[in-house]
Amino acid sequence: MNKEAYKLMHEGTLAFADIEQNGIRVDIPYYKRQRLMIKEQIRLLELELDRTEEVKTWRQVYKEKFNIDSNPQLSKVLFTHLEIEPPTLTAKGNPSVDKDSLHLIDSPIVQPLIQLRQLKKLRNTYIKNILKETVRGILHPVFNLHIPATYRSSSDSPNFQNIPIRDPFMGKIIRQGFIPRDGGMIGGLDYAGIELSMAGCNSRDPVLIDNFTTIHKTQAAKCYALPEEQVTKDIRYCGKNAFVFPQLYGSWYEQCATNLMANINTMKLKTKDGVGLKKHLKSKKLSNINAFSRHIEKVETEFWETYHVHHKWKEGWIANYRKKGYIEMLTGFRCGGVLSKNQLLNYSNQGTAFHCLLWSIIQMNKWLKKYKMKSKIIWNIHDDMGMDIDKTEQEDVLQKAKEVMCVDIKKAWEWIITPLEVEGEFSDKNWYEKKEIKI
């Protein structure tokens, strides 16, 4: 890395130390109640599973108690003994029973099995660690800058960047337990479309730069064969994370189709008019995974015809790495060694996008400390700056954040040639009930 990149990491580490010390307020009694309720739900689901034909077959085959954590045994029972057609295969060609694949299997065991796995993860991975690490009602997660090879951040004790977002069940239970300090509101500020913005800065594709605020909605509509006015926030999210970014980072239509289809069940997707996407795709004769894959193949072809300048940049970026053995981000960071195609394309956008947020966190943290503000930065989740804002300081803090994130940074980094926008979602009750706030 160059000197400017080193300075960003050094000052960022100091800012993260302040963030860790600030901490996040936790509703401990709430989490303890949830832990007891989840224990009872797990017991009831285990009884329900025990009555299914699949588990009866399991016991006949293995002569032992049903083991929810044994994917090889589950695969054998479903696909060999019950002769269910596997919807997807692993990289080695074996039937897959991962979360996305299970959502595509029509069997009485699937829904209670998915729910049981969710509940156990909720209890053992999230609630247990949150309660363990909370001190005097405040959680102090660690945020690292020295670990990821991408020069982004990571988190541990607990991993606060792994909190469920789009799983409606798990997301609600976990986020309701994070609350603002007295007289404050909790939530986050982030850049709108920052990864695509950085992709535009890298490739200088004029169409991508023009479309970066609308591309996710447009592609979600095409993927699910919907008019754009029927695309909800959740459907847009699927277009973004199951098609647009995978395409930018080297994926292909069959994998995108599998993930897009699985998201329909995982997120219970419906149109703005309330029509279930599964029903909608059936009306379009796209409910079969093979037919849907052929449809996504056409969407993929049209996508790269539209963004052909970025496609050409991708090829040149990969060729340059093969020649030099490393890539260099716009922010001065170098990533070398053995990198996959996905990593080469991912790091250049995601790493740079994070550096924009990190630069903004540093400036905001300095300003908050200089003027002895009650408001605090309390987390970093990828491209999100979490804050606990005192309501008496709300207008000043939000205006300063917009100035730093959208104006000052472009003066510091003149290579940012795309518009920058900042979005905020906050609540004075808990993190789950956050709503968009105008800045």
Side-chain angles (χ1 to χ4, degrees):
M1 67 177 77
N2 61 27
K3 289 182 179 180
E4 287 301 311
Y6 174 80
K7 181 181 178 183
L8 184 71
M9 282 287 142
H10 181 81
E11 293 189 349
T13 301
L14 297 177
F16 274 21
D18 289 334
I19 293 172
E20 292 168 14
Q21 185 177 26
N22 293 337
I24 306 147
R25 190 179 180 194
V26 173
D27 187 342
I28 295 177
Y30 165 81
Y31 280 125
K32 288 183 175 179
R33 291 194 302 271
Q34 289 297 324
R35 185 171 58 183
L36 290 174
M37 291 170 61
I38 289 170
K39 181 180 179 180
E40 178 61 15
Q41 288 176 297
I42 288 173
R43 186 185 70 81
L44 293 174
L45 279 171
E46 286 176 339
L47 288 174
E48 181 182 345
L49 280 167
D50 203 49
R51 299 189 185 104
T52 63
E53 288 299 319
E54 287 89 341
V55 171
K56 291 177 182 177
T57 301
W58 184 296
R59 286 198 296 266
Q60 291 172 3
V61 173
Y62 295 103
K63 311 298 181 185
E64 59 186 41
K65 186 179 179 181
F66 174 57
N67 181 3
I68 187 177
D69 299 315
S70 178
N71 283 343
Q73 290 184 8
L74 177 61
S75 178
K76 192 169 184 179
V77 169
L78 290 175
F79 306 127
T80 302
H81 293 276
L82 297 177
E83 298 182 342
I84 295 173
E85 184 72 22
T88 58
L89 302 177
T90 66
K92 294 183 178 180
N94 300 317
S96 174
V97 287
D98 64 13
K99 181 181 69 173
D100 291 339
S101 300
L102 281 177
H103 278 290
L104 302 176
I105 296 173
D106 184 15
S107 170
I109 197 176
V110 168
Q111 285 308 313
L113 180 60
I114 290 172
Q115 291 172 25
L116 187 56
R117 287 180 170 181
Q118 275 185 323
L119 288 170
K120 288 192 172 184
K121 184 173 184 179
L122 193 57
R123 180 187 64 183
N124 300 331
T125 300
Y126 298 113
I127 293 178
K128 178 182 177 181
N129 287 325
I130 289 169
L131 289 173
K132 176 185 174 184
E133 299 291 344
T134 298
V135 179
R136 298 186 184 92
I138 303 292
L139 182 68
H140 300 272
V142 174
F143 296 99
N144 307 294
L145 286 175
H146 67 290
I147 294 176
T150 57
Y151 294 107
R152 299 181 82 199
S153 63
S154 67
S155 177
D156 58 73
S157 305
N159 182 356
F160 200 77
Q161 295 181 346
N162 194 35
I163 300 294
I165 297 177
R166 290 292 167 173
D167 184 304
F169 172 70
M170 295 177 71
K172 180 178 181 179
I173 289 178
I174 292 298
R175 289 172 178 244
Q176 281 184 328
F178 294 109
I179 56 179
R181 290 167 170 84
D182 293 337
M185 56 183 193
I186 190 172
L189 295 164
D190 64 13
Y191 283 106
I194 188 66
E195 278 189 50
L196 279 175
S197 180
M198 294 302 102
C201 290
N202 273 309
S203 68
R204 297 178 175 264
D205 184 327
V207 183
L208 184 61
I209 292 172
D210 285 344
N211 295 351
F212 87 90
T213 58
T214 60
I215 186 173
H216 298 315
K217 184 176 182 179
T218 301
Q219 295 305 316
K222 291 180 179 180
C223 287
Y224 289 121
L226 286 168
E228 285 192 31
E229 58 267 23
Q230 290 299 322
V231 174
T232 64
K233 187 175 181 180
D234 282 344
I235 292 174
R236 177 188 177 278
Y237 174 88
C238 294
K240 170 184 174 181
N241 290 288
F243 182 78
V244 176
F245 283 136
Q247 287 291 320
L248 290 176
Y249 299 149
S251 190
W252 66 311
Y253 69 90
E254 282 199 355
Q255 185 60 55
C256 291
T258 299
N259 294 336
L260 286 163
M261 185 71 82
N263 283 343
I264 294 174
N265 293 325
T266 305
M267 299 175 63
K268 299 178 175 60
L269 296 178
K270 295 181 180 181
T271 67
K272 280 193 176 178
D273 288 345
V275 178
L277 275 199
K278 187 181 287 186
K279 181 179 180 181
H280 165 74
L281 289 179
K282 189 174 183 179
S283 71
K284 298 288 184 178
K285 297 182 180 180
L286 295 173
S287 58
N288 176 277
I289 187 64
N290 293 325
F292 189 65
S293 291
R294 290 194 294 272
H295 166 68
I296 298 301
E297 183 180 13
K298 294 177 183 176
V299 176
E300 178 186 79
T301 299
E302 183 181 338
F303 181 84
W304 286 119
E305 287 174 353
T306 302
Y307 302 108
H308 60 90
V309 174
H310 190 80
H311 190 272
K312 185 176 181 180
W313 169 84
K314 281 172 50 177
E315 292 176 342
W317 185 256
I318 294 169
N320 196 45
Y321 161 75
R322 289 171 178 163
K323 180 180 178 181
K324 293 183 176 180
Y326 63 86
I327 58 171
E328 187 163 351
M329 302 180 194
L330 293 170
T331 46
F333 293 85
R334 283 187 179 182
C335 296
V338 179
L339 299 175
S340 67
K341 179 180 178 182
N342 177 277
Q343 290 171 326
L344 288 172
L345 300 171
N346 181 299
Y347 293 3
S348 59
N349 297 332
Q350 282 196 347
T352 309
F354 168 70
H355 298 151
C356 290
L357 184 74
L358 181 60
W359 188 92
S360 299
I361 286 174
I362 293 166
Q363 312 314 315
M364 281 299 296
N365 188 58
K366 288 179 179 178
W367 181 78
L368 291 169
K369 291 172 69 176
K370 179 179 179 179
Y371 293 100
K372 296 180 172 55
M373 307 291 275
K374 296 178 183 177
S375 303
K376 303 175 185 296
I377 303 174
I378 56 175
W379 72 63
N380 164 240
I381 301 178
H382 308 308
D383 300 326
D384 180 272
M385 174 171 60
M387 295 195 73
D388 195 329
I389 299 179
D390 189 278
K391 287 184 179 180
T392 63
E393 301 170 350
Q394 177 180 335
E395 185 176 349
D396 289 338
V397 170
L398 293 179
Q399 286 302 316
K400 181 62 178 179
K402 184 174 182 179
E403 179 184 326
V404 166
M405 298 174 74
C406 301
V407 180
D408 294 349
I409 192 170
K410 295 187 76 171
K411 295 176 183 176
W413 287 339
E414 295 181 356
W415 50 262
I416 300 178
I417 59 173
T418 54
L420 295 177
E421 297 178 12
V422 62
E423 298 176 332
E425 292 183 319
F426 287 87
S427 168
D428 59 4
K429 296 178 181 178
N430 60 64
W431 189 16
Y432 176 74
E433 297 185 47
K434 62 185 173 63
K435 295 180 180 178
E436 186 175 350
I437 187 167
K438 289 187 177 181
I439 305 174

Short mmCIF file of all heavy atoms in Angstrom, two decimals, residues 132-171:
data_model
loop_
_atom_site.label_atom_id
_atom_site.label_comp_id
_atom_site.label_asym_id
_atom_site.label_seq_id
_atom_site.Cartn_x
_atom_site.Cartn_y
_atom_site.Cartn_z
N LYS A 132 -23.21 -13.44 26.50
CA LYS A 132 -21.89 -13.73 27.06
C LYS A 132 -20.97 -12.50 27.03
O LYS A 132 -20.20 -12.26 27.97
CB LYS A 132 -21.24 -14.88 26.27
CG LYS A 132 -19.82 -15.22 26.69
CD LYS A 132 -19.25 -16.28 25.76
CE LYS A 132 -17.78 -16.54 26.06
NZ LYS A 132 -17.19 -17.52 25.11
N GLU A 133 -21.05 -11.72 25.96
CA GLU A 133 -20.11 -10.61 25.76
C GLU A 133 -20.62 -9.27 26.29
O GLU A 133 -19.86 -8.30 26.32
CB GLU A 133 -19.79 -10.47 24.26
CG GLU A 133 -19.12 -11.68 23.62
CD GLU A 133 -17.70 -11.90 24.11
OE1 GLU A 133 -17.12 -10.97 24.71
OE2 GLU A 133 -17.18 -13.01 23.91
N THR A 134 -21.87 -9.20 26.70
CA THR A 134 -22.42 -7.92 27.17
C THR A 134 -21.95 -7.63 28.60
O THR A 134 -22.01 -8.49 29.48
CB THR A 134 -23.96 -7.96 27.12
OG1 THR A 134 -24.38 -8.13 25.76
CG2 THR A 134 -24.55 -6.66 27.64
N VAL A 135 -21.49 -6.40 28.82
CA VAL A 135 -21.01 -5.97 30.14
C VAL A 135 -21.80 -4.74 30.58
O VAL A 135 -21.81 -3.72 29.89
CB VAL A 135 -19.50 -5.62 30.09
CG1 VAL A 135 -19.03 -5.16 31.46
CG2 VAL A 135 -18.68 -6.82 29.61
N ARG A 136 -22.50 -4.86 31.73
CA ARG A 136 -23.30 -3.77 32.28
C ARG A 136 -24.27 -3.18 31.23
O ARG A 136 -24.44 -1.97 31.12
CB ARG A 136 -22.40 -2.67 32.84
CG ARG A 136 -21.52 -3.12 34.01
CD ARG A 136 -20.76 -1.94 34.61
NE ARG A 136 -19.86 -2.39 35.67
CZ ARG A 136 -18.59 -2.72 35.47
NH1 ARG A 136 -18.08 -2.65 34.24
NH2 ARG A 136 -17.82 -3.11 36.47
N GLY A 137 -24.86 -4.07 30.48
CA GLY A 137 -25.87 -3.66 29.50
C GLY A 137 -25.32 -3.12 28.20
O GLY A 137 -26.09 -2.66 27.35
N ILE A 138 -24.01 -3.16 28.00
CA ILE A 138 -23.39 -2.65 26.77
C ILE A 138 -22.56 -3.75 26.11
O ILE A 138 -21.74 -4.40 26.76
CB ILE A 138 -22.48 -1.43 27.05
CG1 ILE A 138 -23.28 -0.31 27.73
CG2 ILE A 138 -21.85 -0.93 25.75
CD1 ILE A 138 -24.34 0.33 26.86
N LEU A 139 -22.79 -3.96 24.83
CA LEU A 139 -22.00 -4.91 24.04
C LEU A 139 -20.87 -4.17 23.36
O LEU A 139 -21.09 -3.12 22.74
CB LEU A 139 -22.90 -5.59 23.00
CG LEU A 139 -22.26 -6.66 22.12
CD1 LEU A 139 -21.91 -7.89 22.94
CD2 LEU A 139 -23.20 -7.04 20.97
N HIS A 140 -19.64 -4.70 23.47
CA HIS A 140 -18.47 -4.04 22.88
C HIS A 140 -17.83 -4.97 21.84
O HIS A 140 -16.76 -5.54 22.09
CB HIS A 140 -17.44 -3.70 23.96
CG HIS A 140 -17.94 -2.78 25.02
ND1 HIS A 140 -17.88 -1.41 24.91
CD2 HIS A 140 -18.51 -3.03 26.23
CE1 HIS A 140 -18.40 -0.86 26.00
NE2 HIS A 140 -18.79 -1.81 26.81
N PRO A 141 -18.43 -5.14 20.66
CA PRO A 141 -17.82 -5.99 19.63
C PRO A 141 -16.47 -5.42 19.20
O PRO A 141 -16.25 -4.21 19.23
CB PRO A 141 -18.81 -5.95 18.47
CG PRO A 141 -20.07 -5.39 19.04
CD PRO A 141 -19.67 -4.51 20.17
N VAL A 142 -15.58 -6.31 18.76
CA VAL A 142 -14.28 -5.89 18.22
C VAL A 142 -14.44 -5.71 16.71
O VAL A 142 -15.03 -6.54 16.03
CB VAL A 142 -13.20 -6.94 18.53
CG1 VAL A 142 -11.88 -6.57 17.84
CG2 VAL A 142 -13.01 -7.08 20.04
N PHE A 143 -13.90 -4.61 16.19
CA PHE A 143 -13.89 -4.35 14.75
C PHE A 143 -12.45 -4.25 14.29
O PHE A 143 -11.68 -3.43 14.80
CB PHE A 143 -14.67 -3.07 14.43
CG PHE A 143 -16.13 -3.16 14.78
CD1 PHE A 143 -16.62 -2.61 15.95
CD2 PHE A 143 -17.02 -3.82 13.95
CE1 PHE A 143 -17.95 -2.70 16.29
CE2 PHE A 143 -18.36 -3.93 14.27
CZ PHE A 143 -18.83 -3.37 15.45
N ASN A 144 -12.08 -5.10 13.35
CA ASN A 144 -10.69 -5.24 12.92
C ASN A 144 -10.44 -4.62 11.54
O ASN A 144 -11.31 -4.69 10.66
CB ASN A 144 -10.30 -6.73 12.84
CG ASN A 144 -10.60 -7.46 14.13
OD1 ASN A 144 -10.00 -7.19 15.15
ND2 ASN A 144 -11.52 -8.41 14.07
N LEU A 145 -9.25 -4.10 11.35
CA LEU A 145 -8.80 -3.66 10.03
C LEU A 145 -7.56 -4.42 9.57
O LEU A 145 -7.14 -4.26 8.43
CB LEU A 145 -8.48 -2.16 10.06
CG LEU A 145 -9.68 -1.21 10.10
CD1 LEU A 145 -9.20 0.23 10.25
CD2 LEU A 145 -10.54 -1.36 8.86
N HIS A 146 -6.98 -5.24 10.42
CA HIS A 146 -5.71 -5.89 10.12
C HIS A 146 -5.85 -7.34 9.67
O HIS A 146 -4.85 -7.99 9.39
CB HIS A 146 -4.79 -5.84 11.35
CG HIS A 146 -5.29 -6.67 12.50
ND1 HIS A 146 -6.40 -6.32 13.23
CD2 HIS A 146 -4.82 -7.83 13.03
CE1 HIS A 146 -6.60 -7.23 14.17
NE2 HIS A 146 -5.66 -8.14 14.07
N ILE A 147 -7.09 -7.85 9.59
CA ILE A 147 -7.28 -9.28 9.31
C ILE A 147 -7.67 -9.56 7.86
O ILE A 147 -7.03 -10.37 7.18
CB ILE A 147 -8.29 -9.89 10.28
CG1 ILE A 147 -7.72 -9.87 11.71
CG2 ILE A 147 -8.65 -11.33 9.88
CD1 ILE A 147 -8.68 -10.36 12.78
N PRO A 148 -8.74 -8.94 7.32
CA PRO A 148 -9.18 -9.31 5.97
C PRO A 148 -8.16 -8.98 4.88
O PRO A 148 -7.58 -7.88 4.87
CB PRO A 148 -10.46 -8.47 5.78
CG PRO A 148 -10.91 -8.13 7.16
CD PRO A 148 -9.65 -7.96 7.95
N ALA A 149 -7.95 -9.92 3.98
CA ALA A 149 -7.04 -9.70 2.85
C ALA A 149 -7.59 -8.67 1.88
O ALA A 149 -6.86 -8.14 1.04
CB ALA A 149 -6.80 -11.02 2.13
N THR A 150 -8.88 -8.37 2.00
CA THR A 150 -9.54 -7.41 1.11
C THR A 150 -9.30 -5.97 1.54
O THR A 150 -9.73 -5.05 0.86
CB THR A 150 -11.05 -7.66 1.12
OG1 THR A 150 -11.52 -7.57 2.48
CG2 THR A 150 -11.38 -9.04 0.58
N TYR A 151 -8.66 -5.77 2.71
CA TYR A 151 -8.49 -4.44 3.31
C TYR A 151 -9.85 -3.84 3.68
O TYR A 151 -10.02 -2.62 3.73
CB TYR A 151 -7.72 -3.49 2.39
CG TYR A 151 -6.29 -3.91 2.19
CD1 TYR A 151 -5.88 -4.45 0.97
CD2 TYR A 151 -5.35 -3.78 3.21
CE1 TYR A 151 -4.56 -4.86 0.78
CE2 TYR A 151 -4.03 -4.18 3.02
CZ TYR A 151 -3.64 -4.72 1.81
OH TYR A 151 -2.34 -5.12 1.62
N ARG A 152 -10.82 -4.71 3.96
CA ARG A 152 -12.08 -4.26 4.55
C ARG A 152 -12.00 -4.52 6.05
O ARG A 152 -10.92 -4.76 6.59
CB ARG A 152 -13.26 -5.02 3.93
CG ARG A 152 -13.42 -4.83 2.44
CD ARG A 152 -14.62 -5.59 1.91
NE ARG A 152 -15.85 -4.86 2.12
CZ ARG A 152 -17.06 -5.43 2.10
NH1 ARG A 152 -17.15 -6.74 1.92
NH2 ARG A 152 -18.15 -4.71 2.28
N SER A 153 -13.11 -4.46 6.74
CA SER A 153 -13.12 -4.70 8.17
C SER A 153 -13.71 -6.08 8.48
O SER A 153 -14.35 -6.70 7.63
CB SER A 153 -13.96 -3.63 8.89
OG SER A 153 -15.31 -3.70 8.46
N SER A 154 -13.48 -6.54 9.69
CA SER A 154 -14.11 -7.76 10.19
C SER A 154 -14.50 -7.51 11.64
O SER A 154 -14.19 -6.46 12.20
CB SER A 154 -13.16 -8.96 10.09
OG SER A 154 -12.06 -8.80 10.97
N SER A 155 -15.21 -8.46 12.24
CA SER A 155 -15.68 -8.28 13.60
C SER A 155 -15.65 -9.60 14.36
O SER A 155 -15.77 -10.66 13.76
CB SER A 155 -17.11 -7.70 13.59
OG SER A 155 -17.62 -7.57 14.90
N ASP A 156 -15.46 -9.51 15.67
CA ASP A 156 -15.52 -10.70 16.52
C ASP A 156 -15.90 -10.30 17.95
O ASP A 156 -15.98 -9.12 18.27
CB ASP A 156 -14.18 -11.45 16.52
CG ASP A 156 -13.00 -10.61 16.98
OD1 ASP A 156 -12.91 -10.34 18.19
OD2 ASP A 156 -12.16 -10.22 16.14
N SER A 157 -16.15 -11.28 18.74
CA SER A 157 -16.46 -11.14 20.18
C SER A 157 -17.68 -10.28 20.51
O SER A 157 -17.59 -9.40 21.37
CB SER A 157 -15.23 -10.59 20.91
OG SER A 157 -14.11 -11.39 20.69
N PRO A 158 -18.86 -10.51 19.93
CA PRO A 158 -19.18 -11.46 18.86
C PRO A 158 -19.01 -10.81 17.48
O PRO A 158 -18.73 -9.61 17.39
CB PRO A 158 -20.65 -11.76 19.12
CG PRO A 158 -21.19 -10.46 19.64
CD PRO A 158 -20.08 -9.86 20.47
N ASN A 159 -19.22 -11.62 16.44
CA ASN A 159 -19.13 -11.10 15.08
C ASN A 159 -20.39 -10.29 14.78
O ASN A 159 -21.42 -10.82 14.39
CB ASN A 159 -18.99 -12.24 14.07
CG ASN A 159 -18.84 -11.73 12.65
OD1 ASN A 159 -18.92 -10.53 12.39
ND2 ASN A 159 -18.64 -12.64 11.72
N PHE A 160 -20.29 -8.98 14.97
CA PHE A 160 -21.47 -8.13 14.80
C PHE A 160 -21.81 -7.92 13.32
O PHE A 160 -22.92 -7.47 13.00
CB PHE A 160 -21.23 -6.77 15.48
CG PHE A 160 -22.50 -6.03 15.79
CD1 PHE A 160 -23.30 -6.41 16.86
CD2 PHE A 160 -22.92 -4.97 15.00
CE1 PHE A 160 -24.48 -5.74 17.14
CE2 PHE A 160 -24.10 -4.30 15.28
CZ PHE A 160 -24.88 -4.68 16.35
N GLN A 161 -20.89 -8.24 12.43
CA GLN A 161 -21.17 -8.09 11.00
C GLN A 161 -21.91 -9.31 10.45
O GLN A 161 -22.24 -9.35 9.27
CB GLN A 161 -19.86 -7.88 10.24
CG GLN A 161 -19.18 -6.57 10.61
CD GLN A 161 -17.90 -6.31 9.85
OE1 GLN A 161 -17.35 -7.20 9.22
NE2 GLN A 161 -17.41 -5.08 9.92
N ASN A 162 -22.19 -10.29 11.31
CA ASN A 162 -22.90 -11.50 10.91
C ASN A 162 -24.33 -11.52 11.42
O ASN A 162 -24.99 -12.55 11.38
CB ASN A 162 -22.14 -12.73 11.43
CG ASN A 162 -22.61 -14.01 10.76
OD1 ASN A 162 -22.95 -14.02 9.59
ND2 ASN A 162 -22.66 -15.10 11.52
N ILE A 163 -24.80 -10.39 11.94
CA ILE A 163 -26.17 -10.32 12.42
C ILE A 163 -27.13 -10.48 11.24
O ILE A 163 -26.96 -9.82 10.21
CB ILE A 163 -26.44 -8.96 13.12
CG1 ILE A 163 -25.50 -8.77 14.32
CG2 ILE A 163 -27.89 -8.84 13.55
CD1 ILE A 163 -25.71 -9.73 15.45
N PRO A 164 -28.15 -11.37 11.34
CA PRO A 164 -29.07 -11.59 10.20
C PRO A 164 -29.75 -10.30 9.78
O PRO A 164 -30.18 -9.51 10.61
CB PRO A 164 -30.09 -12.58 10.77
CG PRO A 164 -29.42 -13.21 11.95
CD PRO A 164 -28.50 -12.19 12.50
N ILE A 165 -29.85 -10.11 8.46
CA ILE A 165 -30.48 -8.91 7.93
C ILE A 165 -31.79 -9.26 7.22
O ILE A 165 -32.86 -8.78 7.57
CB ILE A 165 -29.54 -8.18 6.95
CG1 ILE A 165 -28.28 -7.70 7.68
CG2 ILE A 165 -30.26 -7.00 6.31
CD1 ILE A 165 -27.28 -7.03 6.76
N ARG A 166 -31.70 -10.14 6.23
CA ARG A 166 -32.86 -10.38 5.38
C ARG A 166 -33.69 -11.61 5.77
O ARG A 166 -34.73 -11.84 5.18
CB ARG A 166 -32.40 -10.52 3.92
CG ARG A 166 -31.92 -9.20 3.36
CD ARG A 166 -33.05 -8.21 3.20
NE ARG A 166 -32.58 -6.86 2.95
CZ ARG A 166 -33.38 -5.84 2.65
NH1 ARG A 166 -34.67 -6.01 2.58
NH2 ARG A 166 -32.87 -4.64 2.45
N ASP A 167 -33.23 -12.40 6.72
CA ASP A 167 -34.06 -13.48 7.22
C ASP A 167 -35.10 -12.83 8.13
O ASP A 167 -34.78 -12.34 9.20
CB ASP A 167 -33.21 -14.48 8.02
CG ASP A 167 -34.01 -15.67 8.48
OD1 ASP A 167 -35.04 -15.46 9.16
OD2 ASP A 167 -33.61 -16.82 8.20
N PRO A 168 -36.37 -12.79 7.71
CA PRO A 168 -37.37 -12.02 8.46
C PRO A 168 -37.57 -12.50 9.90
O PRO A 168 -37.81 -11.69 10.80
CB PRO A 168 -38.65 -12.18 7.64
CG PRO A 168 -38.42 -13.38 6.77
CD PRO A 168 -36.94 -13.42 6.52
N PHE A 169 -37.45 -13.80 10.12
CA PHE A 169 -37.65 -14.35 11.46
C PHE A 169 -36.46 -14.06 12.38
O PHE A 169 -36.60 -13.46 13.45
CB PHE A 169 -37.90 -15.86 11.35
CG PHE A 169 -37.94 -16.57 12.68
CD1 PHE A 169 -38.99 -16.37 13.54
CD2 PHE A 169 -36.92 -17.43 13.05
CE1 PHE A 169 -39.04 -17.01 14.77
CE2 PHE A 169 -36.95 -18.08 14.27
CZ PHE A 169 -38.02 -17.87 15.13
N MET A 170 -35.27 -14.47 11.93
CA MET A 170 -34.09 -14.27 12.76
C MET A 170 -33.73 -12.79 12.91
O MET A 170 -33.34 -12.34 13.98
CB MET A 170 -32.91 -15.05 12.17
CG MET A 170 -33.11 -16.55 12.18
SD MET A 170 -31.75 -17.45 11.40
CE MET A 170 -30.44 -17.23 12.58
N GLY A 171 -33.88 -12.05 11.83
CA GLY A 171 -33.54 -10.64 11.87
C GLY A 171 -34.35 -9.87 12.90
O GLY A 171 -33.83 -9.04 13.63
#
